[in-house]
Amino acid sequence: MIYDVEMETLPREDLEALQLRRLKSLVERVHANVGFYRQKFDDMGVKPSDIRTLADLKLLPFTEKQDLRNHYPFGMFAVPKENVVRIHASSGTTGKSTVVGYTNRDVRNWARLMARCFVASGASPKDIIHNAYGYGLFTGGLGAHYGAEELGATIVPISGGGTKRQVMLMKDFGPTVLCSTPSYALVLYEAAQEAGIDIKDLPLKTGIFGAEPWTEEMRRDIEDKMGITALDIYGLSEIMGPGVGIECNIAQKGLHIMEDHFLVEIIDPETCEVLPPGEIGELVITTLTKEAQPLIRYRTRDITRLEQVPCRCGRTTARVHRMMGRSDDMLIIRGVNVFPSQIESILLETEGLAPHYLLVIKREANLDTLEVQVEVDEKLFSDEIKILQRIEGKIVKNIKDYLGVTAQVKLVEPRSIQRSEGKAKRILDLRKPN
Ligand code: DLL
């Protein structure tokens, strides 16, 4: 099913005409109302009237996280403060948090886009949605919440944490859809097992997982363990929150971008040159309809590729491949670039391991070293040391063969790696001062 049939199946020509109209109006708005953009446009010698086609987007400046920080908290607003009805903020793990504002229309649009996502996942007003995304300044909780209500489904606003209670309520309420980070879904699974509950016996049928990178192998693992269809949802607070894109349950292949609201480009993160569809690079997003805090060519740092092939589900929107990771999370180990997700794929393809790991990076004698700590599953844990050593050796070899990196691998006890209630922390970089 498709929630907004007109917008989600527009022929490309009509979609592009709509995008251009919206882009022109956006450029006028930010030029008139946001000092930061007026200055940037002036510095680059661009006027709003220079935007005549979508290709003219490349005349416009990029926006970076640092620009939002420099104008902390409300300096990027394009509307008077009294028109802002909601504030969210990113967690600020890599510096001061970034703030986003929404007008009434912004939150309504967001709810509709999230409703589109739920329908793309196969959900309907009949569903009960267990929403374990955190409520608060993080956009996950409230974003999914209003989308579910817009659809008319039943939302359980459980938020993150209190895992035992979550499991009990899942058993009692029988939700059919679970919204959480993929790592927290696994935490719920473990807690259910401990409580003697097999999630497969519950009515749960779909997981809408995002907010952190995960792999195809992790998807299969979660689907097998929980007996559900697991779908990838993407978004970021600077642009809106969850709902910028989602996989449909029909093809489960690539995330449909809500292109009537977001104009996407893929650029080479080094040269900033725009790359053609199919090439891997950094996702850059322009918000076409946001009122309170519109952004032009926002550099997400997320690495992916764009596909414009029509989807079996009938949507005509472009899709992005699941995120490989963030350019800032890319590890450079002795000159070799590695994404944590590539290591995740290797670990999850190895028999006997649990999907919980931590990558520890150190500098020893001026050389970077990578230690991969990964949990073994309960069955294997009791096995002979020889067997464990063989597995360690196999992972070391696969990481070397596939990624060209020499890693130390340490198998650790089941449940010894810290669990997270939201985004998992998978990298411990001891090279950086705390
Ligand atoms: O994580 C919004 C969100 C909430 C998305 C719930 C999906 C579900 P932020 O906290 O601002 O917003 O973090 C945004 O998280 O730039 C990506 O690096 C990462 N991210 C989000 N979704 C995915 C995904 C929310 N599906 C940052 N795959 C983004 C990989 C993701 N990374």
Side-chain angles (χ1 to χ4, degrees), residues 99-357:
V99 174
V100 262
Y102 303 76
T103 63
N104 219 317
R105 181 177 295 167
D106 290 336
V107 286
R108 278 201 339 256
N109 276 340
W110 185 12
R112 286 196 197 113
L113 292 184
M114 273 306 299
R116 279 191 200 176
C117 290
F118 281 121
V119 173
S121 81
S124 77
K126 292 194 188 123
D127 282 289
I128 301 182
I129 300 174
H130 182 99
N131 184 18
Y133 284 124
Y135 280 64
L137 285 174
F138 175 57
T139 50
L142 289 174
H145 183 100
Y146 286 107
E149 287 191 350
E150 174 72 24
L151 173 64
T154 309
I155 183 102
V156 182
I158 189 89
S159 193
T163 306
K164 278 192 183 150
R165 179 151 180 262
Q166 297 227 7
V167 169
M168 193 184 77
L169 294 185
M170 283 176 80
K171 184 164 167 277
D172 296 346
F173 296 173
T176 41
V177 178
L178 167 64
C179 293
S180 73
T181 57
S183 54
Y184 193 59
L186 287 167
V187 174
L188 286 170
Y189 168 79
E190 263 177 5
Q193 269 194 319
E194 269 168 29
I197 297 167
D198 187 349
I199 292 203
K200 279 189 176 157
D201 295 337
L202 305 182
L204 196 69
K205 59 180 180 21
T206 310
I208 302 184
F209 301 134
E212 65 185 10
W214 56 311
T215 55
E216 233 10 79
E217 288 77 11
M218 179 74 89
R219 184 208 315 264
R220 254 179 270 136
D221 189 61
I222 295 176
E223 289 190 335
D224 287 351
K225 283 184 167 135
M226 300 176 75
I228 60 173
T229 300
L231 300 169
D232 194 5
I233 184 166
Y234 172 77
L236 61 168
S237 36
E238 293 89 326
I239 294 299
M240 178 175 80
V244 173
I246 189 164
E247 286 176 325
C248 60
N249 68 332
I250 308 277
Q252 227 185 12
K253 205 166 182 354
L255 293 88
H256 289 274
I257 296 290
M258 307 296 164
E259 282 191 289
D260 48 329
H261 292 266
F262 307 109
L263 198 50
V264 292
E265 302 168 271
I266 301 287
I267 64 162
D268 177 326
E270 302 290 321
T271 63
C272 293
E273 184 200 338
V274 179
L275 299 174
E279 286 196 28
I280 294 177
E282 178 182 336
L283 180 65
V284 169
I285 308 179
T286 298
T287 62
L288 292 172
T289 52
K290 274 282 279 295
E291 289 182 335
Q293 199 172 329
L295 294 181
I296 298 219
R297 305 191 84 193
Y298 184 70
R299 293 193 56 176
T300 65
R301 306 279 162 191
D302 293 316
I303 304 295
T304 182
R305 62 169 195 261
L306 194 64
E307 301 287 353
Q308 267 170 354
V309 206
C311 182
R312 277 200 284 134
C313 71
R315 289 175 185 79
T316 51
T317 41
R319 280 173 286 169
V320 293
H321 189 265
R322 68 162 62 249
M323 304 295 144
M324 288 175 67
R326 294 181 58 77
S327 55
D328 3 23
D329 280 347
M330 190 178 71
L331 309 170
I332 306 179
I333 307 293
R334 303 190 191 186
V336 184
N337 300 349
V338 189
F339 280 108
S341 61
Q342 293 175 298
I343 294 179
E344 178 177 300
S345 296
I346 290 177
L347 296 179
L348 292 191
E349 286 203 324
T350 314
E351 197 104 6
L353 300 182
H356 302 283
Y357 64 94

Side-chain angles (χ1 to χ4, degrees), residues 36 40 62-71 76:
F36 164 76
K40 279 247 174 181
F62 290 105
T63 311
E64 307 214 24
K65 203 179 190 80
Q66 191 56 41
D67 297 321
L68 298 179
R69 290 203 182 118
N70 293 346
H71 296 87
M76 297 285 278

Side-chain angles (χ1 to χ4, degrees), residues 378-391:
E378 303 274 1
K379 276 178 260 139
L380 202 79
F381 187 58
S382 50
D383 269 343
E384 280 173 53
I385 198 96
K386 258 199 310 213
I387 297 177
L388 298 179
Q389 277 169 347
R390 204 179 310 141
I391 293 176

